[in-house]
Amino acid sequence: MKEKVTIAYRCPVCGVAMIGEISLFALSGGETNLRCSCGESVMSVNYIKSRDTVSLNVPCVACPTSHPYQVSGSTFFNNDIFILQCSSSGLDVCFIGDKAKVIKAVDDNTAELQKLMEILDERDLDEEDFDIFHNFEKDSHSHDCDCDDCHHHDDGETAEYFDPLVISQMTFIIKELYETGKIKCDCEEGDYMIDVGYDSIEVSCDKCQARKILRAKTDSDIIELAGVDELDLK
């Protein structure tokens, strides 16, 4: 078991990645805190020796509240790198392990977040631009639709999507792929349509029935779609 572990999280208030070292000796004395220099966020770490369990309360850049985690002592102290993720957004929120590997993971995370922000800044979503598609958000299904993708409230209104921002941004990227001729299918003259589900998007050709289903849950799905050169339907 290592005597010291490097741990890092990103402050949801100022955006700075806080990196510190935590020793087994310090944890044996009770809860240890890693506080951001801005003073607006703090991560707590507590080692429960009798159960060989480490409890963490980690601030999250994607959620309004911190997330509680529990990992085994061997996982916390023995891994070269161990990353905790936000269950809602899929973003990495805590990095634990060797100092060099934690710093590398934080740098990679910073680059990923910057890329995501660039994508969001460059996109100016306008629902009127989606006339080429026969389904989009609230217009995709009628209120009395009973398909698997619809989740209804008691008042008859269709429920929100898993993450409307992810759905919107991915749909806009698909539109750009369409307009630049980068959606392909076997018939080469596709009449392309998009079906928006609760946590996925299906792009299909109405002529040859080729289709592709894209997961649309987290920011990483936006980044993955933004990186494709062409969208091939099979």
Side-chain angles (χ1 to χ4, degrees), residues 22-189:
I22 296 180
S23 68
L24 177 59
F25 176 77
L27 283 177
S28 64
E31 183 176 279
T32 298
N33 294 326
L34 178 61
R35 185 177 297 275
C36 180
S37 56
C38 76
E40 296 298 324
S41 69
V42 60
M43 180 179 67
S44 63
V45 186
N46 187 28
Y47 178 48
I48 306 171
K49 188 174 181 180
S50 61
R51 295 190 309 207
D52 191 31
T53 300
V54 179
S55 297
L56 305 98
N57 199 42
V58 184
C60 179
V61 295
C63 299
T65 59
S66 299
H67 296 311
Y69 299 92
Q70 282 197 346
V71 299
S72 67
S74 60
T75 296
F76 186 86
F77 288 105
N78 294 336
N79 276 278
D80 290 339
I81 184 68
F82 183 74
I83 299 175
L84 299 173
Q85 292 184 325
C86 167
S87 59
S88 297
S89 67
L91 290 176
D92 298 335
V93 296
C94 185
F95 311 85
I96 304 164
D98 293 337
K99 185 174 183 179
K101 292 186 180 296
V102 167
I103 292 175
K104 170 72 164 54
V106 169
D107 287 343
D108 291 344
N109 176 255
T110 300
E112 182 178 278
L113 289 175
Q114 288 176 340
K115 183 176 181 179
L116 175 61
M117 293 308 298
E118 289 171 1
I119 291 172
L120 298 182
D121 288 342
E122 291 173 359
R123 314 279 178 190
D124 183 16
L125 191 64
D126 183 355
E127 290 187 24
E128 294 180 357
D129 289 337
F130 290 92
D131 292 340
I132 61 170
F133 299 134
H134 76 292
N135 270 342
F136 178 67
E137 293 198 351
K138 65 178 181 296
D139 296 321
S140 61
H141 300 280
S142 62
H143 289 162
D144 59 354
C145 175
D146 60 358
C147 75
D148 292 338
D149 286 334
C150 280
H151 300 256
H152 300 290
H153 295 301
D154 293 337
D155 60 5
E157 293 294 323
T158 303
E160 294 181 354
Y161 290 97
F162 185 91
D163 188 330
L165 178 61
V166 172
I167 293 287
S168 296
Q169 297 302 325
M170 290 185 64
T171 307
F172 194 85
I173 295 171
I174 294 169
K175 173 183 176 293
E176 287 190 334
L177 291 172
Y178 170 83
E179 290 180 342
T180 55
K182 294 180 179 179
I183 297 180
K184 306 291 184 181
C185 63
D186 290 339
C187 71
E188 298 182 355
E189 296 180 357

Side-chain angles (χ1 to χ4, degrees), residues 215-226:
R215 197 185 84 145
K217 288 185 176 182
T218 68
D219 297 332
S220 60
D221 297 323
I222 302 175
I223 294 172
E224 182 177 353
L225 179 61

Side-chain angles (χ1 to χ4, degrees), residues 185-197:
C185 63
D186 290 339
C187 71
E188 298 182 355
E189 296 180 357
D191 183 9
Y192 300 121
M193 300 181 297
I194 180 172
D195 287 293
V196 179

